[in-house]
Amino acid sequence: MKKPFVTDEKLKEITATIPTPFHLYDEKGIRENTKAVKQAFSWNPGFKEYFAVKANPNPTLIKIMGEYGCGCDCSSLTELMLADAMGFSKDQIMFSSNVTPKEEYILADKLGGIINLDDFTHIDFLEETLGAIPEVISCRFNPGGLFKMSNGIMDNPGDSKYGMTTEQLFEAFRVLKAKGAREFGIHAFLASNTVTNEYYPMLAKILFELAVKLQKETGCHIKFINLSGGVGIPYQPDETPNDILAIGEGVHKVYDEILVPAKMGDVSLCTEMGRFMTGPYGCLVTKATHEKHIYKEYIGCDASAVDLLRPAMYGAYHHITVMGKEDQPCDHKYDVTGALCENNDKFAVDRMLPKIEPGDLLVIHDTGAHGYSMGYNYNGKLKSAEVLLKEDQSFEVIRRAETPKDYFATLDGTSEYKKMFPNG
């Protein structure tokens, strides 16, 4: 059974000063996990984790991981601006985007970040935009077909909009080298949220064999190989968490089998994990506000899909703990909902939980990645606060909740705004 990283007593202390809903993060868990990732790949001297900013763009959390040498994986102009504002630069930034506008390539180059090209046609576009191809460049690979692991996990790269085909990748390296690139990287992302220690070693084998062939046939020096993300977390209570130390050793074994004999033992490895880095170390704290008894039993909360979109968007499972009732039997079946005018605004469907009464605090687990970051303002709902539970058990707001003033701010200066708010 999943247990929250915060006690009922501590949560009542927090909610006495910070109104629900809010996302709560576990500083101790993030630090310990980041150290474990660093240890798992310590055998590779050039290893670097580029935290996927898209997963959680909170500067406080990113700076914590930065203390252990993590960089930023950015995918947009504002994410690049955020990384820059936090002091990240040059090889601390990996820029992996698609359908990329000129201004994003310009800023990535200005910051000295490593550009990871998603498409063959972007080579000429990048050269025209920057005036020259950077000396260090990466390309994203899509092998097509299906990617299947022995434990039944399958993804379909052939149906993905990302990356280059095998033929395009080889031609891209030749063209980029002719245009002045001197050092190359390979990147691939083939499966999402894998809860298995097999994924990274299997992906590494594909990319290592590809790297040997690329370097031999194109003469391009492979400087780094980026395993991207895909290492997942156990959203379901009966799932076994990944063992990052075992994963690191599995990649090490493949590295020694393939790259070292090919005299490519100087290749650095990168990862771009988001979910694994912060996912389990965040939760959405919400209060039960209403109960409804019609064809089903409903519990209404003050949080909604604007605070956590994954259940509405994917039907994703997030475990729920009713605080203070952890030891009570789960003998009531509920749909746990928000207040949006959409019937998919549900955190749980037909979920067996203890009896819930208005005023009970609910902890919705595993929202530390792709939680707050996927929020929006439908129905005029305002995004909630983010709170850090520190190692010493004190807490602080690391992003305030939005206010109606924030909601209307983008109208400021328009004639309609002036009519609506003549006094500013």
Side-chain angles (χ1 to χ4, degrees), residues 357-369:
E357 298 167 304
D360 283 347
L361 289 174
L362 308 183
V363 162
I364 303 177
H365 292 247
D366 301 317
T367 71

Side-chain angles (χ1 to χ4, degrees), residues 303-323:
S304 67
V306 304
D307 303 295
L308 179 62
L309 182 59
R310 294 185 73 254
M313 190 176 195
Y314 305 124
Y317 180 94
H318 281 264
H319 199 66
I320 297 175
T321 296
V322 184
M323 299 302 286

Side-chain angles (χ1 to χ4, degrees), residues 116-132:
N116 182 34
L117 287 177
D118 178 70
D119 184 53
F120 183 83
T121 67
H122 282 223
I123 297 173
D124 289 343
F125 180 75
L126 182 66
E127 185 178 35
E128 292 168 7
T129 299
L130 302 182

Side-chain angles (χ1 to χ4, degrees), residues 231-295:
V231 178
I233 63 174
Y235 288 101
Q236 298 277 353
D238 58 349
E239 289 180 306
T240 302
N242 282 317
D243 181 345
I244 196 63
L245 297 180
I247 290 171
E249 191 51 42
V251 174
H252 189 182
K253 182 173 182 289
V254 180
Y255 189 99
D256 285 349
E257 289 174 354
I258 298 171
L259 291 181
V260 172
K263 296 183 170 40
M264 294 176 66
D266 61 338
V267 172
S268 297
L269 297 184
C270 314
T271 55
E272 292 175 352
M273 294 183 285
R275 196 188 314 266
F276 184 80
M277 299 301 292
T278 57
Y281 312 109
C283 63
L284 176 59
V285 180
T286 182
K287 185 177 293 182
T289 56
H290 294 280
E291 52 185 327
K292 185 172 185 176
H293 317 285
I294 50 172
Y295 306 105

Side-chain angles (χ1 to χ4, degrees), residues 12-30:
K12 286 176 179 174
E13 179 189 344
I14 297 171
T15 55
T17 58
I18 302 172
T20 56
F22 56 83
H23 286 272
L24 182 67
Y25 303 110
D26 176 18
E27 179 184 7
K28 181 180 179 181
I30 292 172

